[in-house]
Amino acid sequence: MASVKLTTSDDKEYTLDRELIFQSNLIKNMVTDLDVFDAPIPLPNVTSSTLDIVIKYLKIHKDDPPPPDKPIEKAVDDMIDEDKELMKLEFNIMADVILAANYLDIPGLLDIGCRTVAWHIKQCKDYHEIREKFNIPKELWRSEEEIAEMKKELNGILG
Amino acid sequence: MTSLEQLPLEILLSILLFVPDTDLRTMTLVSKKFRTLATDPILWKMIFTERNLNQVNFLLSKADRPDRLDLVRRNILRSSSSITSLTNDINTGSYYSGPFGVTSYQISVLLKQLQQKRVLTRHLQKRPTIEDLSQRNLVTSSSIAPSLHAQILTLTKEFKRMRLAAQMSKRKSVNQLPKNIAGSAQSFISKNLYPVHGIMERKLLKRQLRNGLVERSDISIIDSRKLIRNEPYLASLICPSIRPKIKYYEALTFEL
């Protein structure tokens, strides 16, 4: 079994089976184009902790058939239980995983990440809750200076 | 702390693809970026196509069908459905398929007329004779021609009148009638002359009323005898034409 070496941004080295890592289209294309197996491939955007989660996913979906070209099914909970357990993460880590999946070009993992985020959005009741959960800063429709001016004008009118 | 907004746009859009449309509306309230993303027209198009997939599939299956205008240009359809508007189009010269279409329309009209004529002649040849109809009791007088019907009607009328005149000349006078019938005048009136009787009665009543009105006493005489007080209500009873005046004055007093 030929193996592929990867180095993360933390300078940690991983040696993985070819069949396992070839689920990501980026590395597959890189290896097949360059024909280099010994030299480690650097991944500057991916940390070791996120790569662990990605490798867990790859081990679960080792024997899957290639995905067919069909339109997107909109059921949010249409996932395997193992994937559900895998994606029980904090949002910060989940965002990193999604970004890594986007970078490594793993369509299955990206799909699952998007589905979990959508599921979390579905659980929220208000937009306040969504802001708290996903760390979105509160935006004002007008800037604070404008609001202060308006308040001054209102006070002048009201006396 | 990474926020959801820091993710690239294509990932955010693919997340929003899985969010149901009711939650998309709440997503518009989160921030400006999500407002533009959640109101994306392509996203909503996808939602609506999924909602009524049957209709979309039906429309897509019929996509190759040519337009009505195309059919008219190829001389398959006429420009307008009703014949009156079509003739108007021909007269004004705004017919789609030009002079060729006009001639084809005129030929079609001639052909229709010919066909109608042929059908009519066929039916006339097949129609039953008068004798057959009379045997089936559908026609009463088989021998008389239809042009003589009016004369027959006038003759029958005159015959009836002559018979009535003969009966009138034969009838007895009132004196010659038997006593039982002549004596009971009221029954006679009630039977034959009831409407006249009613009119006479009404006329009598009218005359009596008029006499009474002419002989009635004046208001001054009634006043002197103190039979009536000078109250507006009673005055209005006696002379109803005063009523609006009374109302007017009453309103004035209320205002004061």
mmCIF file with all atom_site columns, all heavy atoms in Angstrom, chain B residues 142-155:
data_model
loop_
_atom_site.group_PDB
_atom_site.id
_atom_site.type_symbol
_atom_site.label_atom_id
_atom_site.label_alt_id
_atom_site.label_comp_id
_atom_site.label_asym_id
_atom_site.label_entity_id
_atom_site.label_seq_id
_atom_site.pdbx_PDB_ins_code
_atom_site.Cartn_x
_atom_site.Cartn_y
_atom_site.Cartn_z
_atom_site.occupancy
_atom_site.B_iso_or_equiv
_atom_site.pdbx_formal_charge
_atom_site.auth_seq_id
_atom_site.auth_comp_id
_atom_site.auth_asym_id
_atom_site.auth_atom_id
_atom_site.pdbx_PDB_model_num
ATOM 1   N N   . SER B 1 142 ? -105.338 17.940 -44.381 1.00 0.00 ? 142 SER B N   1
ATOM 2   C CA  . SER B 1 142 ? -104.370 17.641 -45.425 1.00 0.00 ? 142 SER B CA  1
ATOM 3   C C   . SER B 1 142 ? -104.748 18.271 -46.760 1.00 0.00 ? 142 SER B C   1
ATOM 4   O O   . SER B 1 142 ? -103.886 18.611 -47.556 1.00 0.00 ? 142 SER B O   1
ATOM 5   C CB  . SER B 1 142 ? -104.239 16.131 -45.601 1.00 0.00 ? 142 SER B CB  1
ATOM 6   O OG  . SER B 1 142 ? -105.501 15.617 -45.951 1.00 0.00 ? 142 SER B OG  1
ATOM 7   N N   . SER B 1 143 ? -106.110 18.515 -46.952 1.00 0.00 ? 143 SER B N   1
ATOM 8   C CA  . SER B 1 143 ? -106.551 18.935 -48.286 1.00 0.00 ? 143 SER B CA  1
ATOM 9   C C   . SER B 1 143 ? -106.401 20.437 -48.494 1.00 0.00 ? 143 SER B C   1
ATOM 10  O O   . SER B 1 143 ? -106.193 20.895 -49.614 1.00 0.00 ? 143 SER B O   1
ATOM 11  C CB  . SER B 1 143 ? -108.002 18.510 -48.513 1.00 0.00 ? 143 SER B CB  1
ATOM 12  O OG  . SER B 1 143 ? -108.796 19.068 -47.488 1.00 0.00 ? 143 SER B OG  1
ATOM 13  N N   . ILE B 1 144 ? -106.566 21.230 -47.370 1.00 0.00 ? 144 ILE B N   1
ATOM 14  C CA  . ILE B 1 144 ? -106.582 22.684 -47.532 1.00 0.00 ? 144 ILE B CA  1
ATOM 15  C C   . ILE B 1 144 ? -105.161 23.211 -47.716 1.00 0.00 ? 144 ILE B C   1
ATOM 16  O O   . ILE B 1 144 ? -104.247 22.831 -46.971 1.00 0.00 ? 144 ILE B O   1
ATOM 17  C CB  . ILE B 1 144 ? -107.224 23.356 -46.298 1.00 0.00 ? 144 ILE B CB  1
ATOM 18  C CG1 . ILE B 1 144 ? -108.690 22.940 -46.192 1.00 0.00 ? 144 ILE B CG1 1
ATOM 19  C CG2 . ILE B 1 144 ? -107.125 24.860 -46.372 1.00 0.00 ? 144 ILE B CG2 1
ATOM 20  C CD1 . ILE B 1 144 ? -109.296 23.222 -44.863 1.00 0.00 ? 144 ILE B CD1 1
ATOM 21  N N   . ALA B 1 145 ? -105.051 24.107 -48.663 1.00 0.00 ? 145 ALA B N   1
ATOM 22  C CA  . ALA B 1 145 ? -103.744 24.721 -48.897 1.00 0.00 ? 145 ALA B CA  1
ATOM 23  C C   . ALA B 1 145 ? -103.460 25.771 -47.822 1.00 0.00 ? 145 ALA B C   1
ATOM 24  O O   . ALA B 1 145 ? -104.391 26.384 -47.288 1.00 0.00 ? 145 ALA B O   1
ATOM 25  C CB  . ALA B 1 145 ? -103.732 25.381 -50.275 1.00 0.00 ? 145 ALA B CB  1
ATOM 26  N N   . PRO B 1 146 ? -102.227 26.015 -47.447 1.00 0.00 ? 146 PRO B N   1
ATOM 27  C CA  . PRO B 1 146 ? -101.923 26.989 -46.368 1.00 0.00 ? 146 PRO B CA  1
ATOM 28  C C   . PRO B 1 146 ? -102.299 28.419 -46.700 1.00 0.00 ? 146 PRO B C   1
ATOM 29  O O   . PRO B 1 146 ? -102.503 29.229 -45.793 1.00 0.00 ? 146 PRO B O   1
ATOM 30  C CB  . PRO B 1 146 ? -100.408 26.845 -46.209 1.00 0.00 ? 146 PRO B CB  1
ATOM 31  C CG  . PRO B 1 146 ? -99.925  26.182 -47.437 1.00 0.00 ? 146 PRO B CG  1
ATOM 32  C CD  . PRO B 1 146 ? -101.033 25.311 -47.918 1.00 0.00 ? 146 PRO B CD  1
ATOM 33  N N   . SER B 1 147 ? -102.443 28.755 -47.987 1.00 0.00 ? 147 SER B N   1
ATOM 34  C CA  . SER B 1 147 ? -102.799 30.129 -48.349 1.00 0.00 ? 147 SER B CA  1
ATOM 35  C C   . SER B 1 147 ? -104.255 30.447 -48.026 1.00 0.00 ? 147 SER B C   1
ATOM 36  O O   . SER B 1 147 ? -104.642 31.608 -47.935 1.00 0.00 ? 147 SER B O   1
ATOM 37  C CB  . SER B 1 147 ? -102.538 30.353 -49.838 1.00 0.00 ? 147 SER B CB  1
ATOM 38  O OG  . SER B 1 147 ? -103.296 29.430 -50.578 1.00 0.00 ? 147 SER B OG  1
ATOM 39  N N   . LEU B 1 148 ? -105.096 29.409 -47.821 1.00 0.00 ? 148 LEU B N   1
ATOM 40  C CA  . LEU B 1 148 ? -106.536 29.633 -47.562 1.00 0.00 ? 148 LEU B CA  1
ATOM 41  C C   . LEU B 1 148 ? -106.865 29.702 -46.067 1.00 0.00 ? 148 LEU B C   1
ATOM 42  O O   . LEU B 1 148 ? -108.015 29.900 -45.710 1.00 0.00 ? 148 LEU B O   1
ATOM 43  C CB  . LEU B 1 148 ? -107.356 28.501 -48.204 1.00 0.00 ? 148 LEU B CB  1
ATOM 44  C CG  . LEU B 1 148 ? -107.368 28.482 -49.736 1.00 0.00 ? 148 LEU B CG  1
ATOM 45  C CD1 . LEU B 1 148 ? -108.067 27.224 -50.219 1.00 0.00 ? 148 LEU B CD1 1
ATOM 46  C CD2 . LEU B 1 148 ? -108.091 29.708 -50.289 1.00 0.00 ? 148 LEU B CD2 1
ATOM 47  N N   . HIS B 1 149 ? -105.869 29.553 -45.226 1.00 0.00 ? 149 HIS B N   1
ATOM 48  C CA  . HIS B 1 149 ? -106.134 29.484 -43.781 1.00 0.00 ? 149 HIS B CA  1
ATOM 49  C C   . HIS B 1 149 ? -106.764 30.752 -43.251 1.00 0.00 ? 149 HIS B C   1
ATOM 50  O O   . HIS B 1 149 ? -107.697 30.691 -42.435 1.00 0.00 ? 149 HIS B O   1
ATOM 51  C CB  . HIS B 1 149 ? -104.815 29.205 -43.040 1.00 0.00 ? 149 HIS B CB  1
ATOM 52  C CG  . HIS B 1 149 ? -104.487 27.757 -42.961 1.00 0.00 ? 149 HIS B CG  1
ATOM 53  N ND1 . HIS B 1 149 ? -105.299 26.831 -42.345 1.00 0.00 ? 149 HIS B ND1 1
ATOM 54  C CD2 . HIS B 1 149 ? -103.437 27.044 -43.453 1.00 0.00 ? 149 HIS B CD2 1
ATOM 55  C CE1 . HIS B 1 149 ? -104.768 25.628 -42.435 1.00 0.00 ? 149 HIS B CE1 1
ATOM 56  N NE2 . HIS B 1 149 ? -103.623 25.723 -43.134 1.00 0.00 ? 149 HIS B NE2 1
ATOM 57  N N   . ALA B 1 150 ? -106.281 31.917 -43.711 1.00 0.00 ? 150 ALA B N   1
ATOM 58  C CA  . ALA B 1 150 ? -106.784 33.202 -43.219 1.00 0.00 ? 150 ALA B CA  1
ATOM 59  C C   . ALA B 1 150 ? -108.264 33.356 -43.566 1.00 0.00 ? 150 ALA B C   1
ATOM 60  O O   . ALA B 1 150 ? -109.088 33.780 -42.732 1.00 0.00 ? 150 ALA B O   1
ATOM 61  C CB  . ALA B 1 150 ? -105.972 34.347 -43.838 1.00 0.00 ? 150 ALA B CB  1
ATOM 62  N N   . GLN B 1 151 ? -108.624 33.017 -44.792 1.00 0.00 ? 151 GLN B N   1
ATOM 63  C CA  . GLN B 1 151 ? -110.037 33.130 -45.216 1.00 0.00 ? 151 GLN B CA  1
ATOM 64  C C   . GLN B 1 151 ? -110.923 32.237 -44.369 1.00 0.00 ? 151 GLN B C   1
ATOM 65  O O   . GLN B 1 151 ? -112.019 32.635 -43.937 1.00 0.00 ? 151 GLN B O   1
ATOM 66  C CB  . GLN B 1 151 ? -110.148 32.734 -46.691 1.00 0.00 ? 151 GLN B CB  1
ATOM 67  C CG  . GLN B 1 151 ? -109.575 33.807 -47.607 1.00 0.00 ? 151 GLN B CG  1
ATOM 68  C CD  . GLN B 1 151 ? -109.868 33.495 -49.055 1.00 0.00 ? 151 GLN B CD  1
ATOM 69  O OE1 . GLN B 1 151 ? -110.696 32.644 -49.377 1.00 0.00 ? 151 GLN B OE1 1
ATOM 70  N NE2 . GLN B 1 151 ? -109.173 34.208 -49.940 1.00 0.00 ? 151 GLN B NE2 1
ATOM 71  N N   . ILE B 1 152 ? -110.430 31.035 -44.065 1.00 0.00 ? 152 ILE B N   1
ATOM 72  C CA  . ILE B 1 152 ? -111.226 30.096 -43.252 1.00 0.00 ? 152 ILE B CA  1
ATOM 73  C C   . ILE B 1 152 ? -111.455 30.669 -41.870 1.00 0.00 ? 152 ILE B C   1
ATOM 74  O O   . ILE B 1 152 ? -112.564 30.591 -41.313 1.00 0.00 ? 152 ILE B O   1
ATOM 75  C CB  . ILE B 1 152 ? -110.488 28.750 -43.152 1.00 0.00 ? 152 ILE B CB  1
ATOM 76  C CG1 . ILE B 1 152 ? -110.565 28.028 -44.484 1.00 0.00 ? 152 ILE B CG1 1
ATOM 77  C CG2 . ILE B 1 152 ? -111.083 27.875 -42.064 1.00 0.00 ? 152 ILE B CG2 1
ATOM 78  C CD1 . ILE B 1 152 ? -109.520 26.977 -44.650 1.00 0.00 ? 152 ILE B CD1 1
ATOM 79  N N   . LEU B 1 153 ? -110.452 31.315 -41.315 1.00 0.00 ? 153 LEU B N   1
ATOM 80  C CA  . LEU B 1 153 ? -110.579 31.914 -39.986 1.00 0.00 ? 153 LEU B CA  1
ATOM 81  C C   . LEU B 1 153 ? -111.665 32.980 -39.972 1.00 0.00 ? 153 LEU B C   1
ATOM 82  O O   . LEU B 1 153 ? -112.525 33.006 -39.080 1.00 0.00 ? 153 LEU B O   1
ATOM 83  C CB  . LEU B 1 153 ? -109.246 32.540 -39.571 1.00 0.00 ? 153 LEU B CB  1
ATOM 84  C CG  . LEU B 1 153 ? -108.319 31.646 -38.760 1.00 0.00 ? 153 LEU B CG  1
ATOM 85  C CD1 . LEU B 1 153 ? -106.986 32.340 -38.559 1.00 0.00 ? 153 LEU B CD1 1
ATOM 86  C CD2 . LEU B 1 153 ? -108.942 31.304 -37.408 1.00 0.00 ? 153 LEU B CD2 1
ATOM 87  N N   . THR B 1 154 ? -111.638 33.897 -40.952 1.00 0.00 ? 154 THR B N   1
ATOM 88  C CA  . THR B 1 154 ? -112.656 34.968 -41.008 1.00 0.00 ? 154 THR B CA  1
ATOM 89  C C   . THR B 1 154 ? -114.056 34.389 -41.172 1.00 0.00 ? 154 THR B C   1
ATOM 90  O O   . THR B 1 154 ? -115.007 34.844 -40.520 1.00 0.00 ? 154 THR B O   1
ATOM 91  C CB  . THR B 1 154 ? -112.353 35.917 -42.178 1.00 0.00 ? 154 THR B CB  1
ATOM 92  O OG1 . THR B 1 154 ? -112.192 35.148 -43.363 1.00 0.00 ? 154 THR B OG1 1
ATOM 93  C CG2 . THR B 1 154 ? -111.115 36.758 -41.923 1.00 0.00 ? 154 THR B CG2 1
ATOM 94  N N   . LEU B 1 155 ? -114.181 33.381 -41.977 1.00 0.00 ? 155 LEU B N   1
ATOM 95  C CA  . LEU B 1 155 ? -115.477 32.742 -42.195 1.00 0.00 ? 155 LEU B CA  1
ATOM 96  C C   . LEU B 1 155 ? -116.026 32.145 -40.913 1.00 0.00 ? 155 LEU B C   1
ATOM 97  O O   . LEU B 1 155 ? -117.212 32.339 -40.571 1.00 0.00 ? 155 LEU B O   1
ATOM 98  C CB  . LEU B 1 155 ? -115.353 31.642 -43.264 1.00 0.00 ? 155 LEU B CB  1
ATOM 99  C CG  . LEU B 1 155 ? -115.382 32.108 -44.727 1.00 0.00 ? 155 LEU B CG  1
ATOM 100 C CD1 . LEU B 1 155 ? -115.008 30.970 -45.640 1.00 0.00 ? 155 LEU B CD1 1
ATOM 101 C CD2 . LEU B 1 155 ? -116.762 32.661 -45.087 1.00 0.00 ? 155 LEU B CD2 1
#
